Amino acid sequence: MTTTAPPEGLRDFYENPAVPVASGTPRSLRQARMLATALGEGTAPSLILDVGCGDGTAAATAAPLLPGHRIVGVDWSQDALHRARPRLAYAVRGELTDGGLPFRTAAADAVLFSEVIEHLVDPDAALDELRRVLRPGGHLMLSTPNLAAWYNRALLLAGVQPVFSEVSLRAIHGRPGREVVGHLRLYTARALREFVAAAGFEVVRLEGAPFHGVPRPLRALDRLACARPALASILLLHARRT
């Protein structure tokens, strides 16, 4: 889930096996298709880093769509890596700060950064490190929950805490849902574009993805909202390192 060593309280939280470390398959598939399109057919084998790989589910889901490419899972959490290694050929421990990722400068052709940035204390330093390990023109595939998802807009109008936002690491207060997942940062589509561009990337594309936690009667509406990324549950951003 996270590749930046968090403060003491967060460290214990992320090493708790009960904390979810994987996101929904629809998001993983959409993101993998975006990367496969970006890499193109018949290209030389690429090194793809799944930074914040969690239990390896996302990378394992993406692998069949990225044949011939080497995918390396990277995570700070030893518990997550223990669960990832049966699914991934390569899974290593790494941090986005305190020494950086265990890869040389410009080593990677692409980075998957899936549902990680919302957990970070210092997202600016994280993007600096991702930019370092990417080659010029390399691809950043970032996904994160959308603060301005269609239902969050309605919840805020009703005075209810938005989904994905959290005020405590111990329990959910003031919003729908039951799982505490440790979100510290939340982005709208506009904020995410501006943030990534300011970090030295060229934003190529922004898409939406559904959220697996949406109640079943509302899932069709959630899928429809993906046509307008600013309203979608999950933001999928493709950017190139400048």
Side-chain angles (χ1 to χ4, degrees), residues 8 36 44 79 82 127 134 185-186 203 220:
E8 193 65 36
D79 177 74
H82 177 74
L127 283 198
L134 275 170
R185 309 277 181 175
L186 288 176
V203 176

Side-chain angles (χ1 to χ4, degrees), residues 108-111 134-140 201-202 238-242:
D109 300 287
V111 167
L134 275 170
R135 63 168 173 79
H139 305 281
L140 172 65
F201 292 87
E202 176 191 0
H238 170 208
R240 285 181 179 271
R241 181 202 185 279
T242 56

Side-chain angles (χ1 to χ4, degrees), residues 30-213:
R30 288 181 184 228
Q31 191 174 44
R33 291 188 188 108
M34 288 174 69
L35 180 55
T37 299
L39 292 174
E41 295 183 5
T43 57
S46 299
L47 173 61
I48 301 168
L49 306 181
D50 183 4
V51 178
C53 66
D55 66 2
T57 299
T61 300
L65 300 179
L66 300 166
H69 300 298
R70 182 185 180 192
I71 302 177
V72 178
V74 188
D75 209 287
W76 171 86
S77 168
Q78 293 286 13
D79 177 74
L81 288 172
H82 177 74
R83 286 183 272 174
R85 287 188 173 115
R87 296 185 174 98
L88 303 178
Y90 308 97
V92 300
R93 189 178 187 277
E95 299 181 11
L96 287 164
T97 57
D98 298 329
L101 297 172
F103 302 96
R104 71 179 188 276
T105 297
D109 300 287
V111 167
L112 293 171
F113 201 48
S114 308
E115 265 84 310
V116 176
I117 200 166
E118 64 271 15
H119 298 273
L120 302 182
V121 174
D122 190 351
D124 302 277
L127 283 198
D128 288 345
E129 179 63 4
L130 295 183
R131 190 174 186 276
R132 181 189 70 79
V133 299
L134 275 170
R135 63 168 173 79
H139 305 281
L140 172 65
M141 315 301 293
L142 186 157
S143 68
T144 191
N146 182 10
L147 175 60
W150 59 275
Y151 41 81
N152 279 346
R153 298 181 186 219
L155 290 173
L156 277 171
L157 285 173
V160 177
Q161 186 83 8
V163 175
F164 308 126
S165 67
E166 296 179 334
V167 299
S168 170
L169 291 178
R170 297 177 180 177
I172 294 298
H173 300 290
R175 72 156 173 85
R178 297 180 180 179
E179 286 185 339
V180 178
V181 292
H183 290 175
L184 305 178
R185 309 277 181 175
L186 288 176
Y187 299 81
T188 63
R190 178 176 178 177
L192 187 63
R193 282 179 177 273
E194 291 183 5
F195 173 66
V196 171
F201 292 87
E202 176 191 0
V203 176
V204 177
R205 189 175 179 185
L206 183 68
E207 291 190 8
F211 174 47
H212 64 280

